[in-house]
Structure formats: structure tokens, C-alpha cells
Amino acid sequence: MAKHKTHYEDCDILVVGGGMAGTGATFEARHWGRDLKIICVEKANIDRSGAVAQGLYAINCYMGMQWDENQPEDHVRYARNDLMGLVREDLGYDMARHVDSTVHMFDEWGLPMMKNPKTGRYQREGKWQIMIHGESYKPIVAEAAKKSADKIYNRIMITHLLMDENNENRVGGAVGFNMRTGDFYVFRSKTVIVAAGGASHIFKPRAVGEGMGRTWYAPWSNGSAYALPIAAGAKMTQMENRIVLCRFKDGYGPVGAYFLHLKTYTQNANGENYEKKWYEQTKKLVGEYIDHHPTPTCLRNHAFVQEVMAGGGPIQMVTKEAFQDPHLETVGWENFLGMTVGQAVVWASQNIDPKYTNPELTTSEPYVMGSHATCSGAWVSGPEDISPTEYFWGYNRMMTVEGLFGAGDTVGGSAHKFSSGSFTEGRLAAKAAVKYIQDQKAKNIKISEKQCENFKKIIYKPLENYTVGRNEITGGTVSPSYFSPIQGLQRLQKIMDEYVGGISVNYMTNENLLKKGLELLEWLQEDLEHIGAEDYHQLMRAWELKHRAITSQCVTEHTLFRKETRWPGYYYRGDHMKLDDENWHCLTVSRRDPKTGKFSMEKMPVYHIIGDEEKKKAS
Ligand SMILES: Cc1cc2nc3c(=O)[nH]c(=O)nc-3n(C[C@H](O)[C@H](O)[C@H](O)COP(=O)(O)OP(=O)(O)OC[C@H]3O[C@@H](n4cnc5c(N)ncnc54)[C@H](O)[C@@H]3O)c2cc1C
């Protein structure tokens, strides 16, 4: 152990993850906390890290309040509708009322925004989306964070949160290791803002074998955002609300610009509008939700999944019409250049020119995240001016562990934040964290040398497992005493896929399957003690897997708890196929006891703070 040097850093605000929410938090922390010491720690390099690493083509959350295009209330109604009624409206409203100011800063910082030449307004792609030339998006927000932080640490993976020894429910920092040098890092901090993205690769992906690693959500999003707070005893919400995306096949290329800007549409292999075919069947399952406008994302998936199961596939995107317009053809291709260039490569390799061939679509494996058309994540306090009592405990975006804040994918209940909303939520969390410190809530935090040393032993154990175990290898890589991160990952993905509703079972699960899945996950947890890592990169893989595994347990517990099928098209409870508003119009909240590792579940009320105006207008 001595060979891994220990570095200590004391600070006021520690931001874990320098993606969209993390850069927003780092930037805003400096605004309110001029004299505070602010550190941002990132697993990759913040210039090109997180889900926006490659760039984006649209900012998906912009109200346009200055032109009265939309108001925050409209966004709450939109998110509520899309999530089948279940969101934290206080969090959504709070994000929406601030998001425009974030986007205006991006504009000032030099992000190339497309503008409507006639009106001078941002070019809309859809009601909420504005178009950008977004290849430089991430380096631009990273620069703002770099100018604001006392220090940015790249290439350090945070593995555990440190807890105050004077108050077992108060955070005191975090520990991790540098993936290049192997050095051990201890960050003793008065507050921690977790902004570590969502979770991909917990369910078996469609892309396996030579395509493995290709997923829709960033493959490096490994659920640290959930695992870190879960392990510290923070409550989580809506973890069953995993998301399934309809995307171009094999490259997971985005479809938003195609639907919204190019006005393309989908059809089955016979050229039929299959969504209509499934209307009556869907109505029996979810009632009037199918009549809502726009149709909730999960219900559109549902029609897709049903049609494919009924033999109507492949489902295609009708591009042949739009692509006859040279401008739209260019937009169609450029859409991939900004964020998913791989889709263009896939089409080239499969001889698909969308001008002459309608490309195939598919539904993805499930992902866990809090910023898209889904809202899994930490159960956090809302803002004091609008949150009901059950949703408010002192500091905006603070979790149920004192001093521990979250933003972006980390935070549950507030869907449809996307890149701009995640950055905004980082800003909100940072402002509250500064206030927490100014209110003297972070006094007398005790972090002993012993606590840090214990974590050090735990963190490097996979290296030791490998060093000892490799002597027993007699052929190839098969070892009697340890297993590798990739072997563990595939085992996890198989469990989640087959028992918790992944692609190979058409997203179907039930109580018996979930109970069996939980048993297998528990055994996996036991075996993870024997994971081996041959170098620091594999050590990162080992810790990514451990974080994915605990996230998966939480997802499975939540899926077992909610006895209804609230989001057909995301997953199905075969033993409770119908949406059940009478018993389940509520949020689910879990807590894992850090001492026993056991989860407990509870229901929390959904408060509809925002009225139904828009619905009335529409009718
Ligand atoms: C394919 C795709 C397309 C999208 N399209 C759009 C779009 O068109 N428009 C739009 O507005 N939004 C879009 N989004 C959504 C947007 O990217 C996310 O909402 C946003 O990035 C979430 O912000 P975040 O900070 O929570 O996560 P991220 O931006 O992913 O940041 C998380 C960061 O945490 C780091 N990290 C993770 N674990 C650790 C750890 N243990 N220690 C240290 N660091 C860690 C990661 O490396 C990463 O940098 C898209 C996302 C994807 C994947």
C-alpha cells in the first residue's frame, strides 16, 4: 500500500464530476463564494468529458421567456405529461425559471448559436430545443469552470464519500485515485456536490462483440452519481424509471432533429402508421394518458415494441421525402457531425443513403439517468419559496445527507433538464452549498486518518487480488481466485437484462424475476470482493463496476416496489400490467442502510403545484 502516495486537499466545496452539472456548479460556486476554496474532480478531462464530450447539435431546454415563447409553468406541464404524471414539480419549475440565463451565458461565452435571420431569435428545432453548432460546447463550459475553480483535478476517479465522525449523517469529503499515477487522493471538504452523470452499461447493450462499448448514453457514465450517495445512506427516488430510447439502429444516432426539424416520421415495414394500430390496446393499459399531447415518450416506445413483437418490423424513419430538399439533407447529415458521427459511418458501411433508403430504428437497452425523459436519482430538497414541506429541508438540491448536494443526472424527480438544465441545476446546488457553509452548518467535521486509510485499503484491493491470484493461472486468463472487470460487467448486464426488464425479454419483468435478480445481485456483490485489476485502468473498471452494481440493486428494489406498469415502453411489470393511479400516483423513495446494506422503501406524495392551464387551452 505504501507505494501509493497519499495527497490531501482541504476545501470548502468539492464538485465530483466536471460534466455539464459539475462545470455549472464550479462556475456558480465562485460567484457566491468569492473566498471559498473550490475543487472540481473529474474522472476524465473536463475539456471533453461526460455526455456532451463529443458535442451536441441542440440545447434541448430553453424557455425563451424574453420573447414569451414558453414559461417555466409550461415546462413543468410538459415534463409531468411526459413522465406519466410523476415529477417533482418544485425542482422542475426551479430549473426552468433559471435555465434561460444559463443559455444566455453560453451565448456570451462564444457557443455558436443558430439564429433565425428574420426574427433574430434563437433558431428553434422544437418547442423546447434551440439549434447550435455544438462541437465546442464542452470545452466552452469547461473553460468557465477552470477559471472559477481553485483547482481542477483530471483523471481522478472518486470511489467513496467521506463521512463526518461527529455526525454520521453529514458528509466530509471524498476519496479516489489517479488513474495515471495510481496515487491516492483525500479531499476533505465542507460540502460535496455530486455531478457524476447517469448510468449506462448496467443492462446488456444491443451492441455486443465487436460493437461493444457503443451505447446511446455515454459508455463512461457508470452510475457513480447514484452509488456514492446510496453507499452514504442518501435517499433515492424513481430509480425504477429507467429510460429506453428510440434511435437509429446500430449507431444510436439521435432522432430529435429528424422528427422536429426535418419533419420525418416513422412507419412499419409495410409502410403503415403502426402507432395508430396500438391506440386501443394502450388505452386499456394506461387510460387517458394515451390521449395526452404530446404523446409521452414511453407510450411511443410501447407502440414500437408491440409492433416489432407482432412481426411488423423493422420500423423505419421515412427520410426519403425530406432528403429531397438539399437544405434538409445537409441538416440531416450535419446533425450527426455535431454529436454522433458514428451513425454516419454505420450508414456508409451499410450502404444506406437516407435520400434513397429509409433507415431502420431500434429501441435501446435501458439507462438510468435524471436529466432526460426520465427522472431517476437522489431525493433532494427543493427551493424554499415553492417546495411543500415534504420536499424541503433547508438547502436547495441538498440530499438527505447533510452537506451533500446533487445536480444533473444525479438528481431525481426533475426530468427534461438536458444539458442546459443540468448546468443550471449545478448552479442552483452550488449557490445553496455556499449558503450552507455561510450558515456555519459545516463546523467541526471530523475525518480521521483511520477512515482515510481504511478506504485506501479497500480501493486498491483489486490490484492485490490480481497480484496474488495471477500466480494460479495455468492457461489463458482463467483464474480460480479472481475475476476481471469485464467478466463482472457481463454478469451484471445479464442479470439486469434477464431479470429486471432488458432487451432480450422485451423489457418485461415481474415480482418473481425481480426477487431472483436481487438474489443474484447480492451474490455478485459478494464476489466483487474478488475482482482483480492488473493496472490502474482496470482498477477504474473495477470501481466503475462496483458503482454500477450498487446502482443496479437500487433500480431492482424500486422496480419491485412499484406494483404497476407506469411507463409501458420503458418496462413492464407482467404481474401488474396496468397503470394504477389509485395506488401508485406517488414517488418511490429508497434508502440503503450503510451498516447492513439493506434497502427500505417508502411512497412520497406527488404534489401538482402547477395548474393544468395548457390542457384547458388545448381542449
Ligand atoms: C447521446 C446523447 C445525446 C444528447 N443530446 C442532447 C441534446 O441534443 N441536447 C441537450 O441539451 N442534451 C442532450 N443530452 C443530455 C445531456 O448531455 C445531459 O443531460 C447532461 O450532460 C447531463 O449532465 P451531468 O453533468 O449530469 O452528466 P455529464 O455531463 O455526463 O457529466 C458527468 C461527469 O462526471 C464524471 N464522472 C463520472 N463518474 C465519476 C467519478 N466517480 N469520479 C469523478 N468523475 C466522475 C464524468 O466523467 C463526466 O464528466 C444528450 C446526451 C447524450 C448521451
Side-chain angles (χ1 to χ4, degrees):
M1 213 54 59
K3 81 177 193 172
H4 299 112
K5 196 172 161 195
T6 302
H7 302 260
Y8 291 94
E9 185 78 84
D10 292 305
C11 59
D12 296 298
I13 297 185
L14 176 69
V15 180
V16 177
M20 287 309 294
T23 50
T26 308
F27 168 80
E28 192 77 11
R30 175 60 67 220
H31 180 83
W32 299 99
R34 296 271 153 200
D35 306 328
L36 298 186
K37 186 164 173 192
I38 300 152
I39 302 280
C40 175
V41 185
E42 164 59 48
K43 185 172 76 162
N45 183 311
I46 70 161
D47 282 339
R48 285 282 172 197
S49 71
V52 181
Q54 198 182 142
L56 295 178
Y57 193 69
I59 288 175
N60 281 355
C61 185
Y62 178 70
M63 303 297 114
M65 283 184 271
Q66 59 177 322
W67 303 302
D68 201 20
E69 291 176 332
N70 298 291
Q71 294 301 327
E73 291 84 350
D74 300 326
H75 193 266
V76 173
R77 287 180 202 110
Y78 167 66
R80 175 171 73 203
N81 173 52
D82 198 44
L83 272 289
M84 307 289 281
L86 309 187
V87 286
R88 278 277 303 269
E89 298 188 9
D90 58 331
L91 299 178
Y93 181 83
D94 191 31
M95 178 281 296
R97 66 182 165 180
H98 293 293
V99 73
D100 282 10
S101 69
T102 290
V103 174
H104 300 158
M105 288 196 305
F106 294 162
D107 195 354
E108 278 167 32
W109 295 344
L111 180 66
M113 321 278 288
M114 294 189 206
K115 300 230 168 96
N116 181 322
K118 286 195 199 121
T119 61
R121 297 181 186 183
Y122 296 129
Q123 176 74 51
R124 282 274 176 202
E125 183 185 77
K127 188 170 165 61
W128 306 104
Q129 301 81 355
I130 55 173
M131 296 170 79
I132 56 173
H133 293 288
E135 189 277 334
S136 57
Y137 197 177
K138 191 65 214 301
I140 287 173
V141 295
E143 194 179 330
K146 284 193 267 189
K147 285 187 172 148
S148 307
D150 285 87
K151 200 156 181 189
I152 305 271
Y153 283 93
N154 287 316
R155 304 286 170 204
I156 291 180
M157 180 177 184
I158 294 296
T159 54
H160 301 84
L161 295 174
L162 289 167
M163 298 304 284
D164 177 15
E165 286 155 43
N166 288 326
N167 172 353
E168 64 174 12
N169 195 41
R170 187 163 68 163
V171 79
V175 292
F177 66 97
N178 183 302
M179 281 129 36
R180 296 286 192 266
T181 64
D183 287 357
F184 178 59
Y185 281 80
V186 176
F187 299 96
R188 289 176 296 223
S189 184
K190 291 181 182 157
T191 58
V192 178
I193 301 174
V194 176
S200 62
H201 275 297
I202 69 168
F203 285 85
K204 188 173 103 183
R206 289 209 186 267
V208 292
E210 64 167 16
M212 204 199 143
R214 184 83 195 101
T215 49
W216 169 75
Y217 209 50
W220 45 82
S221 295
N222 68 289
S224 295
Y226 314 117
L228 292 168
I230 291 171
K235 289 186 178 178
M236 308 302 282
T237 189
Q238 300 295 89
M239 291 296 280
E240 70 278 24
N241 180 215
R242 79 295 289 277
I243 185 171
V244 168
L245 288 299
C246 165
R247 287 292 179 267
F248 285 115
K249 191 163 179 300
D250 298 336
Y252 296 89
V255 294
Y258 278 70
F259 281 129
L260 298 169
H261 193 65
L262 277 61
K263 308 286 181 220
T264 60
Y265 54 93
T266 57
Q267 63 179 25
N268 70 7
N270 301 321
E272 298 160 345
N273 174 346
Y274 62 90
E275 285 192 8
K276 273 192 196 159
K277 279 172 55 180
W278 297 100
Y279 173 82
E280 290 301 335
Q281 188 253 20
T282 312
K283 190 150 190 151
K284 281 190 191 132
L285 295 179
V286 300
E288 51 102 24
Y289 285 90
I290 186 61
D291 297 321
H292 288 194
H293 181 75
T295 307
T297 309
C298 63
L299 298 185
R300 299 196 69 181
N301 283 355
H302 173 68
F304 188 125
V305 173
Q306 297 304 306
E307 181 66 14
V308 172
M309 280 165 66
I315 305 297
Q316 299 162 342
M317 181 76 99
V318 182
T319 51
K320 286 202 273 188
E321 295 163 14
F323 272 60
Q324 300 312 315
D325 176 336
H327 169 68
L328 295 185
E329 185 185 13
T330 308
V331 173
W333 284 106
E334 280 183 357
N335 183 231
F336 297 142
L337 289 180
M339 62 177 164
T340 316
V341 73
Q343 185 65 53
V345 179
V346 168
W347 281 354
S349 71
Q350 296 179 351
N351 209 19
I352 294 169
D353 181 344
K355 198 170 178 177
Y356 306 109
T357 309
N358 292 325
E360 265 182 71
L361 296 167
T362 191
T363 50
S364 73
E365 58 282 355
Y367 305 96
V368 183
M369 50 190 299
S371 68
H372 212 272
T374 169
C375 57
S376 304
W379 179 245
V380 298
S381 172
E384 64 180 322
D385 60 334
I386 47 170
S387 300
T389 333
E390 284 100 325
Y391 295 176
F392 179 71
W393 47 95
Y395 296 91
N396 202 358
R397 267 66 177 184
M398 189 168 86
M399 301 187 199
T400 51
V401 168
E402 291 169 42
L404 180 61
F405 294 77
D409 276 331
T410 308
V411 166
S414 54
H416 287 276
K417 293 176 280 207
F418 295 97
S419 60
S420 46
S422 295
F423 190 96
T424 305
E425 203 170 45
R427 294 176 60 200
L428 294 167
K431 184 179 177 186
V434 171
K435 183 156 192 308
Y436 176 89
I437 294 168
Q438 288 169 347
D439 288 350
Q440 309 296 319
K441 299 284 181 190
K443 289 213 141 168
N444 303 324
I445 297 175
K446 184 179 168 205
I447 303 292
S448 67
E449 196 64 21
K450 188 163 166 270
Q451 185 179 167
C452 303
E453 279 305 310
N454 278 351
F455 279 131
K456 190 172 181 181
K457 276 196 203 100
I458 293 169
I459 289 172
Y460 294 104
K461 175 103 186 308
L463 290 175
E464 198 184 312
N465 288 346
Y466 174 80
T467 312
V468 175
R470 75 179 163 175
N471 298 317
E472 295 165 1
I473 297 176
T474 50
T477 54
V478 180
S479 161
S481 303
Y482 73 88
F483 65 107
S484 67
I486 186 71
Q487 289 166 333
L489 181 68
Q490 286 171 349
R491 180 168 151 194
L492 171 73
Q493 290 175 346
K494 187 170 155 62
I495 299 169
M496 293 303 285
D497 181 57
E498 293 173 356
Y499 294 95
V500 192
I503 47 170
S504 24
V505 291
N506 289 310
Y507 314 106
M508 181 63 75
T509 185
N510 63 36
E511 182 169 338
N512 291 323
L513 285 163
L514 290 162
K515 283 185 172 161
K516 182 71 191 168
L518 280 172
E519 193 182 331
L520 294 174
L521 286 171
E522 206 171 315
W523 293 345
L524 174 64
Q525 283 288 359
E526 277 177 33
D527 288 349
L528 282 174
E529 288 303 308
H530 305 285
I531 195 163
E534 61 189 87
D535 55 30
Y536 298 130
H537 189 75
Q538 289 303 312
L539 187 62
M540 173 193 77
R541 290 278 185 249
W543 279 103
E544 286 184 338
L545 174 59
K546 283 170 182 254
H547 286 184
R548 282 188 167 106
I550 195 169
T551 302
S552 300
Q553 281 184 312
C554 189
V555 168
T556 311
E557 293 279 1
H558 274 254
T559 313
L560 179 63
F561 184 61
R562 183 179 284 284
K563 292 181 178 39
E564 64 160 353
T565 300
R566 169 67 49 169
W567 305 277
Y570 285 177
Y571 77 94
Y572 302 87
R573 275 288 304 252
D575 44 354
H576 299 281
M577 275 300 280
K578 287 193 177 179
L579 180 144
D580 177 3
D581 256 343
E582 210 177 302
N583 295 302
W584 290 98
H585 196 91
C586 63
L587 301 166
T588 55
V589 172
S590 66
R591 180 175 184 270
R592 178 184 173 277
D593 184 331
K595 293 194 182 98
T596 63
K598 298 282 172 223
F599 284 83
S600 52
M601 301 291 314
E602 64 185 310
K603 289 181 179 181
M604 290 299 283
V606 175
Y607 288 112
H608 295 304
I609 300 165
I610 305 297
D612 241 353
E613 283 295 310
E614 207 171 50
K615 201 172 157 199
K616 279 187 206 134
K617 259 190 257 161
S619 53

